[in-house]
Every structure is written in structure tokens, then in C-alpha cells.
Amino acid sequence: MRQSKFFMPTLKETPADAVAKSHQLMLRGGYIRQVTAGVYAYLPLAYRVLNKAQKIMEEEMAKINVPECLMPALLPASLWEESGRLKKYGPEMFRLNDRHDRPSLLGPTHEETFTQLIAKNLKSYKQMPISLYQIQTKYRDENRPRFGLLRGREFIMLDAYSFAATREQLDEQFDDEKQAFENVFKRCGVTVRPVIADSGTMGGKDSTEFQAPAAIGEDTIAVNETGTYAANLEMAQSVDDFKQAPEAAKDLEKVATPDCDSIEKLAKFLKVPATRIVKSILYIADDQKVLVLIRGDKQINEAKLAHVIDADDIHEVATSDLEAITGSAKGGVGPIKADYADRIIADNTVKNLYNVVVGAGETDYQFKNANLDRDFKVDEFADIRVANEGELDPVDHLPLQFTTSIEVGHIFKLGTYYTKTMGADFLDQNGKTQPVIMGSYGIGVSRMLSAIVEQHLTEHGIAWPKEISPFDIQLVQMKMNDDAQTALAEKLESSLSAKYDVLYDDRKERPGVKFNDADLVGAPVRITIGRKASDGIVEVKRPTDEKAQEIAVNDLDAWIAKELG
Ligand code: ATP
Ligand code: MG
């Protein structure tokens, strides 16, 4: 490919509104252009990377015998009503009406579409296990689209769905997909860590995310040093090594605690450690009032709480509304006489505490010496606590380290949630009707491109991993009006193109401009044809090399073969 004909609108300056390094480089290198918020055009450079990534995915899915198909993005809302997710999905869904006023939507994911296909076309255990996948454009009206391809409103996803007659079949399908995904990430050069994850609105258990550690990542993962425990912070657990020595229950005592609207202030005022205080926080979960208790030194993890409560929407009651509901402003809410609460849920840290401080249900008053069961009741105990860095992991009891990272993939065992609600049944060996058992597997293909760039930054550009680099080799001719250089460059272009993707910079530009652009193309091999062309000598450079090295043209093939494999 001749660079003079290749559309690659590079920018000299870093675009002011791009925060993520990958976003900056992909704009500067002419990989992508924004069309509207969170919606991008993939220009030729990005499209080449995308195609290579997709080819790798196709190969890895073929290895596990999963065929590709393509579903529509335009879907009837009725399909999502069947699964019960139309309301649940919320404002992230692009909804529209067609000319006949039929409610429609643009698919943010495709569990329903595939489940319906299976419901209508699969009848017997003999047709299972079976899986399908597609690489398709998804639509999510994200609250904060940002960082270029990392969080788009239109983005490309590989989504696979598995259908099984037995749990064992599902386990096998899950393991296959996991392996295929790991191969994809490895070949695309993105370092990932599988971590325990939340399954969100999808239902199901056994949820694993593939997280690519990167400074810009919006997720935090908690990992121990040996890697035997790794979890998204949303789900991370840790050992709570605090133990209070048992005490005899003392008399409940009401005390005024003016201006104590935080645990720190309260602990200081009462001269007690935070571990002797039980915090009470009121949540609205759908239409229920849920009072949530946790020991004073810990924080509530709302993702874990949402699982325990199993509601579509949970949110903490605003300070301004507290008094009207509980009769007490912030700093007085507590579990004693909390008749307004439909449910009281406590974190496990509230167990085995003696003579603690709790809100008295009256503004600026607390009870001292409160004891569980004698003075207040809890409907349910659960782990709803935020794990802190440095705490010990629950498996090997090693300190947890936190890392920011990018979620590039997510796989989970959905079970029968969709198949039951949408009537995807089959006849088992005994002629009995059973719901199909399902799994779902996704890679954020466009997001992955940005993640790869984030993990392969050089001082001035990108060092693309070999298998997905837009070009394998970039030829840079220093002087376009030098006949010896042109002859050699054209000769190399034609011989190397037989085996490799070659971009030949034949533009009448200054060498400085060409080198800057080459840094943005980020090909694993750069060959510069300059002054010594007539002596049969060129320069080679890898993106991470500080300096180019001279090499005889005769040795070039061997050097390239070694580099590109
Ligand atoms: P996130 O927590 O980042 O919003 P998610 O949990 O909503 O992601 P899934 O529904 O599991 O994502 O979608 C599968 C994959 O699609 C994700 O692992 C991610 O790589 C990708 N993805 C999700 N949302 C976006 C987006 N807005 N832009 C680009 N890729 C996305
Ligand atoms: Mg999301």
C-alpha cells in the first residue's frame, strides 16, 4: 500500500479534549474520528486492526467449533418484554418507534434474540450442546461515553451464546469459550487477568471478567500477589480480622451527640473506636425501605448489596429525605424502633459485637451499649462490605493489591433465566420437557483496540503487537527525488508485499514528518531507505528501539523473518 494513497489524516497537536492516551494517539494517527458523542468512524488504519482482530476471533471460535452468524441490531421491544428486561435495562437502551408506532430498540446485547432463535428451532437434547456467535455493532446510550473507543455509545462486540441440555455440557462450553477468549487476547497482544465479576442485569452466576490492567481503566481489580485470588472490586471479598472480646451486656443508655454527622466525629465525641459503632444507612430498593447495618470502620459495597436485595434499582435515601421517613436526620438513624424499614440487612461485621453505639432514631441522639437480638433485630446477614487494599484475600490470606483496569471481556453461566422466561425448552432423553441451559460470552472488540494501545505505548506512538498491527512493515523513503532510493524502495515493496502487509511512505514529505507518522502507524518493523541505498544499506527499527540500526539489504529478509516470525 502506498502511503500517498492511504487515507491517514494525522494531527500534529494532541486533541485537547482527549484524556486517554489511546484516544489521543488514535485521533492523532488518523485511526478514528468522532461522528457524534461516543460514536466513531473507523478510518483505514483502525479498520485494518479491527479486521485482523476479527480474523483471530474467527479462527479461535472455529477451533472450539462455534459457528458465526449475524443478528439484526434493530429489534422489537416486545422481544425484551418477554424476558422482562425492557424496563430493567433503563436509560442505556436506545428506544425508538417505527412508522407504525411499534416500539423498537437498538440491541445493547443479544441474549433475547438468540434465546428466541433457539426456542423456535431447537427441540431435542440430540441437538445440544450447541453454540453460536456474532461480531456485531451494539448500542448503549451510556451516561458518560468517553475515552474514545473505550466507552462508546455504538461499539463492536463479539457475543457468543451457548445452549446445553445438562450442567456438565454448560461447564464444558464455558471452559472452551474461556480458552478461546484467552487465546484471542494472547494473540492480540493484550495482557488480561480473569477475575471474579458481578453478573449485573444478566442474571446467572459464575461470572468471569477479562480485565486488562491499564492506568486509564475505569474498573478496579483486587489481586493477591500470587494471583490465586483476583476479583473485580465490585465483588471482592477480604478477611475481616477484627475481633471484639466478649463483654456482658450493659444497660442501654441514650446520649446526646450534637453535630456528629460522620463516624469519625461520633467516635471522637464519644471517645470510642469506630469498631464499637454500628452504622445504619437507609436504602430504597424498588419500593422497599431497606435499613443496612455495617460496623463503623467499614464501607458498604452497593454492588454486593444489590445482589443480596435482588432489586432492579437501589439507592441511598438522600439526607434531605431522611427525617421525613425515619423521624431522624443523619447521625440519628438506627436499628432500634426502625418500624419504617421493610427489611434490615447487616454486614457480617455486625456479628459478635458487644455494647455498641447505634443511632437512637432521633436527630443527634445515639444509644450506647446496644446488643444484637436484645435491642435490635437483623433479618439477614451477608457480605456487603467493600474490600480494602492491604486486607487479606479470602483464599490464601495474602494482602490484596488494587489495580485499575479495562474490562475487555465477560463470560458467564446464565443458567435458565432467559430460557425459562422465554420458553426455550427441549425434550430430554426421557421425553421430559426441560429448559435449555445457557451461557453468554462477550468481548468488547472496539474497546479492546484501545486497551491494546494503552498497554503498548511508546514515547512517540504505538508499538502494535505483531498479529494485529495495521501493517507488518513500514518502508520510509527519505528522499523521493533520489533514483537509487526509489529503485530500492520499490524493489523492497514488491518483494516484501508477497509475504507481509507493507506500507510504503512514498510521500514528498520531510523525513521528520514521515518518522512522526511512522511512530503513529506503529508497525513492528520500520525500514528506512536513505543515503546508503546505493551501497545496499538500509536502516531497521522496532517501535521500542531507541535508535535505528544499519543493515545490508542482503541480510534484511533474515532479520525480518526473525522479527515477524
Ligand atoms: P462496563 O462495566 O464497562 O459498562 P458491561 O459490564 O456493561 O461493561 P457487558 O454487558 O458484559 O459490559 O458487555 C460485554 C463487553 O462489551 C464488555 O466486557 C466490554 O468489553 C464491552 N463493552 C461494554 N460496554 C461498552 C461500551 N460502552 N463501549 C465499548 N465496549 C463496551
Ligand atoms: Mg455497562
Side-chain angles (χ1 to χ4, degrees), residues 92 140 142 151 447:
E92 244 182 50
R140 294 186 187 179
E142 297 276 356
R151 185 169 296 282
R447 175 183 285 186

Side-chain angles (χ1 to χ4, degrees), residues 293 346 350-356 370-378 381:
L293 312 183
V350 174
K351 286 180 190 166
N352 304 320
L353 295 181
Y354 310 90
N355 300 319
V356 289
N371 286 278
L372 180 68
D373 295 332
R374 185 191 72 177
D375 305 312
F376 63 98
K377 299 264 180 297
V378 164
F381 281 98

Side-chain angles (χ1 to χ4, degrees), residues 341-357:
D342 297 299
R343 247 164 114 182
I344 299 182
I345 296 178
D347 181 62
N348 292 329
T349 53
V350 174
K351 286 180 190 166
N352 304 320
L353 295 181
Y354 310 90
N355 300 319
V356 289
V357 174

Side-chain angles (χ1 to χ4, degrees), residues 220-328:
T220 300
I221 58 172
V223 183
N224 70 9
E225 62 188 11
T226 54
T228 50
Y229 182 81
N232 192 310
L233 187 56
E234 289 178 346
M235 295 294 281
Q237 297 182 319
S238 62
V239 176
D240 173 36
D241 51 13
F242 175 79
K243 276 208 174 56
Q244 190 189 8
E247 293 172 9
K250 298 181 195 162
D251 290 342
L252 202 59
E253 182 187 336
K254 190 163 142 189
V255 287
T257 53
D259 302 324
C260 292
D261 59 358
S262 71
I263 294 296
E264 294 70 37
K265 287 183 195 165
L266 188 61
K268 209 168 157 203
F269 182 83
L270 292 176
K271 299 190 178 65
V272 295
T275 47
R276 198 178 271 273
I277 302 172
V278 168
K279 251 193 293 203
S280 306
I281 298 170
L282 187 64
Y283 280 86
I284 301 291
D286 293 342
D287 47 9
Q288 282 203 329
K289 297 183 197 74
V290 183
L291 188 65
V292 181
L293 312 183
I294 191 163
R295 205 175 62 219
D297 59 323
K298 298 294 177 191
Q299 305 298 328
I300 290 169
N301 179 328
E302 291 189 356
K304 288 185 186 174
L305 179 63
H307 269 284
V308 175
I309 297 181
D310 194 22
D312 291 344
D313 177 62
I314 68 160
H315 60 269
E316 195 181 327
V317 171
T319 310
S320 53
D321 297 337
L322 266 182
E323 196 155 8
I325 301 175
T326 71
S328 160

Side-chain angles (χ1 to χ4, degrees), residues 53-322:
Q54 291 186 187
K55 189 164 164 278
I56 291 172
M57 292 173 193
E58 284 159 23
E59 286 170 12
E60 294 301 329
M61 295 305 274
K63 271 192 209 161
I64 58 165
N65 282 301
V66 176
E68 186 170 11
C69 61
L70 185 60
M71 291 291 169
L74 180 62
L75 302 170
S78 56
L79 183 62
W80 282 61
E81 224 151 59
E82 270 186 58
S83 71
R85 274 211 299 182
L86 190 62
K87 192 166 147 260
K88 226 179 199 173
Y89 213 87
E92 244 182 50
M93 184 184 278
F94 277 104
R95 298 160 201 255
L96 54 138
N97 281 352
D98 68 11
R99 65 163 76 198
H100 305 294
D101 246 3
R102 280 183 298 235
S104 308
L105 60 96
L106 298 177
T109 174
H110 277 67
E111 280 74 13
E112 284 79 357
T113 321
F114 278 89
T115 307
Q116 188 189 54
L117 180 78
I118 291 303
K120 290 188 173 166
N121 295 284
L122 185 144
K123 301 286 165 233
S124 156
Y125 73 95
K126 289 179 194 155
Q127 296 164 287
M128 284 184 286
I130 193 93
S131 301
L132 285 163
Y133 85 99
Q134 61 173 347
I135 297 175
Q136 193 224 26
T137 304
K138 301 284 190 245
Y139 297 86
R140 294 186 187 179
D141 200 357
E142 297 276 356
N143 187 22
R144 293 185 69 193
R146 53 183 172 161
F147 304 149
L149 301 184
L150 282 176
R151 185 169 296 282
R153 295 195 303 155
E154 177 183 288
F155 61 96
I156 301 167
M157 195 199 287
L158 174 156
D159 46 329
Y161 304 87
S162 67
F163 302 92
T166 63
R167 280 270 151 197
E168 292 69 39
Q169 286 180 358
L170 170 65
D171 290 345
E172 261 174 48
Q173 289 172 315
F174 184 88
D175 291 346
D176 278 356
E177 293 284 353
K178 186 162 188 251
Q179 186 61 57
F181 277 25
E182 279 174 351
N183 295 350
V184 165
F185 294 129
K186 183 145 192 249
R187 289 179 63 188
C188 290
V190 55
T191 305
V192 295
R193 198 177 254 295
V195 307
I196 299 165
D198 186 4
S199 47
T201 61
M202 302 276 206
K205 290 211 168 64
D206 265 319
S207 164
T208 302
E209 280 170 2
F210 291 96
Q211 290 282 354
I216 196 74
E218 293 184 280
D219 287 20
T220 300
I221 58 172
V223 183
N224 70 9
E225 62 188 11
T226 54
T228 50
Y229 182 81
N232 192 310
L233 187 56
E234 289 178 346
M235 295 294 281
Q237 297 182 319
S238 62
V239 176
D240 173 36
D241 51 13
F242 175 79
K243 276 208 174 56
Q244 190 189 8
E247 293 172 9
K250 298 181 195 162
D251 290 342
L252 202 59
E253 182 187 336
K254 190 163 142 189
V255 287
T257 53
D259 302 324
C260 292
D261 59 358
S262 71
I263 294 296
E264 294 70 37
K265 287 183 195 165
L266 188 61
K268 209 168 157 203
F269 182 83
L270 292 176
K271 299 190 178 65
V272 295
T275 47
R276 198 178 271 273
I277 302 172
V278 168
K279 251 193 293 203
S280 306
I281 298 170
L282 187 64
Y283 280 86
I284 301 291
D286 293 342
D287 47 9
Q288 282 203 329
K289 297 183 197 74
V290 183
L291 188 65
V292 181
L293 312 183
I294 191 163
R295 205 175 62 219
D297 59 323
K298 298 294 177 191
Q299 305 298 328
I300 290 169
N301 179 328
E302 291 189 356
K304 288 185 186 174
L305 179 63
H307 269 284
V308 175
I309 297 181
D310 194 22
D312 291 344
D313 177 62
I314 68 160
H315 60 269
E316 195 181 327
V317 171
T319 310
S320 53
D321 297 337
L322 266 182

